Structures are given as structure tokens and as C-alpha cells.
Amino acid sequence: MPPSKSTATSQDGTTLAVYNYNNHDAPVLVCVHGYPDNASLWAPVADLLADDFQVVAYDVRGAGASDHPGSTAAYVLDRLQEDFRAVIDQVSPDRPVHVLAHDWGSIQAWHFVTAPDLESRIASFTSISGPSLDHAGYFLRRRSRAALKQLLHSWYIFYFHLPWLPELGWRKGWAHRAFNRLERQQPDDNRSLGDYVNGIKLYRANVVPRLLRPAQRRTDVPVLAVSPDADPFVTTPLQTDIAQWAPNLTTKVIRGGHWMPRNDPGLVARLVREHTGQVARWGT
């Protein structure tokens, strides 16, 4: 069944497209997509979880049917946090939500879950293939072999900071071919050129400032950090060596690649059920 669609308005006036996959009185699961996806990434997962949760997804600013601010400054993590707050204020104003996020969605969600004024609004966090940029800043300072390996995996971040060339690559199509060689994924006809081009601002607005001046961001929210062992972009230690920041941490290294929500939605649904079920047992 297709989701119902509504909108939420962020603090700076940005309009966000919000998709609700059911309306029954169940725990709310908010899904945050990464780059260069939009909320349609979560449709197969939402179908599998619709009996357990009120599943909500939204197009991050710059993607899908949400507004596409033109300035790079509009994509800083604090603005993305205001977007998330606008969504949860609309869909679950009176009770905490569970969060499922992937890639840049996880990077954002780490910012949300470590924000003192939002921590009480989040019941659990399932993170797939996306670290906190602040935690990454401390991780890379270790100058260890693991940090060096992650830097090698992060070559594309430097590429996205080049002027005009990344946008040209998406428009001409050769960037699609290059990235698809790194990992094959199920086709997605719902992505638009804007999803690819606008999302580059996420990197330019956040990566360098956060890595150079990381904050000590901590959370007591129960976190499941899922690391696919064949992820060509994010190494396992960067995602799982974070107990000092998230003491309520569970980690799982699973077989698979970066685009797990698209390539294996059944596994994602199972991991979410297990994690939220464990959280519920802790709360009893």
C-alpha cells in the first residue's frame, strides 16, 4: 500500500515531504535516508515493518519532494536537526520515536541522538553505514592503521569537495558508472538528478568543520550500529569503536555492502525488530 503524504515545515521555512506508511496506534519508527537517495529507499523496509510500527520516512532537504535550498550553509547538521524535530513534532509529539537511518541519514541521526534537547525524544537508534562526524574526528586523530584504512576508503569525500566537477560527473553520467563499479545495488528509478547534485552540499557544509573541530557528543539512547563487512565507503572500526560515546551500544557486523536497505530489506527489518524488542525488554 502506498504511503500517505504530508508536509512539515522546518524552523527556517524549508518544507519537507513526509510519508506515513500506516496510521495505527503502534510505536513510531522514523527512517532517515542518506545520499544520494530519497525517502523511497525505505519503501521495501516499511512494507515489512508496517505491522509492527507506524513507519514514517521523509525526504531530507535537497532530496525528493522536499525543498532544495540553494546555499551550502542551509545543509549544516543543525539545520538538519531542525528538520528532524519538525517531523517528529508532527508525527509523534507526545512519545519518543525509534530511528532507523542509513549513510548520511545516520550521520544526521548521530547529531540528533547526541543533542541534549532531543535525546529524550528518541527511544532507540539503528544506524547502518554511517558514523558521527564528531566521533570520526576523534577516531582519525589516533593515526592508527584503522584510521589510515578509513582515510583510504574516504577518497570520495575529497572528490565531493572539488568545485563543479562532482556535479558535472552526475549530470554527464560517468560518476554513476564509476560509483556503481564499487558496489552493485538494486536499481532505483525514483532517484532524480537533484538527489545527486543537491546532496553534495551535505559534504561541503559539514565534513571539514566537524573533522577538524569535533565535539564530544555522547548519548545514553540504545544504539545498534550495523556495519556491512563489504562496505566500500565506511570501515567497521569507525562505526563500532564508539562505546565511549554511546555506552548503551550493540554492534553487529553483517555480510553485505553499503546499500543494505535496498539490497536486503528483510535483514534490515529483522535487525530493527530485534533491537527495538531488546530496548522494550530493558525498559520492563
Side-chain angles (χ1 to χ4, degrees), residues 58-239:
Y58 66 98
D59 289 325
V60 171
R61 61 172 60 202
S66 290
D67 285 349
H68 301 169
S71 72
T72 299
Y75 292 80
V76 297
L77 287 170
D78 287 344
R79 298 290 81 74
L80 301 171
Q81 181 176 311
E82 291 167 0
D83 295 350
F84 175 75
R85 180 184 287 277
V87 172
I88 64 173
D89 282 350
Q90 176 175 296
V91 302
S92 188
D94 302 320
R95 56 180 175 166
V97 301
H98 299 278
V99 177
L100 167 63
H102 172 254
D103 184 78
W104 257 98
S106 286
I107 292 173
Q108 293 180 57
W110 273 111
H111 197 71
F112 312 156
V113 80
T114 56
D117 60 334
L118 274 179
E119 189 172 8
S120 64
R121 304 286 305 275
I122 300 173
S124 75
F125 174 30
T126 301
S127 171
I128 304 172
S129 291
S132 160
L133 289 181
D134 294 279
H135 300 168
Y138 286 104
F139 177 85
L140 295 175
R141 277 168 166 70
R142 299 176 188 175
R143 301 181 183 178
S144 63
R145 182 175 297 180
L148 176 59
K149 184 178 180 181
Q150 178 58 57
L151 282 172
L152 294 174
H153 278 254
S154 299
W155 62 268
Y156 64 96
I157 294 176
F158 302 99
Y159 166 73
F160 284 141
H161 279 80
L162 296 173
W164 63 262
L165 184 62
E167 289 90 341
L168 180 66
W170 292 129
R171 290 188 174 103
K172 295 295 186 181
W174 47 262
H176 296 78
R177 294 190 293 272
F179 278 90
N180 285 340
R181 283 183 187 144
L182 294 173
E183 180 180 334
R184 302 180 100 188
Q185 57 179 305
Q186 297 297 325
D188 185 350
D189 295 333
N190 293 311
R191 288 174 173 170
S192 69
L193 180 60
D195 296 335
Y196 289 91
V197 172
N198 297 324
I200 294 173
K201 297 183 180 73
L202 294 168
Y203 292 88
R204 294 172 179 166
N206 296 292
V207 173
V208 172
R210 290 284 167 180
L211 294 186
L212 291 181
R213 295 181 296 278
Q216 297 190 28
R217 300 184 69 94
R218 186 184 181 280
T219 183
D220 287 319
V221 169
V223 175
L224 171 62
V226 181
S227 173
D229 63 359
D231 193 320
F233 307 112
V234 191
T235 60
T236 292
L238 179 63
Q239 300 178 73

Side-chain angles (χ1 to χ4, degrees), residues 9-10 16 44 64 138 187 204 249 258:
T9 303
S10 192
L16 307 164
Y138 286 104
R204 294 172 179 166
L249 174 69
H258 183 77

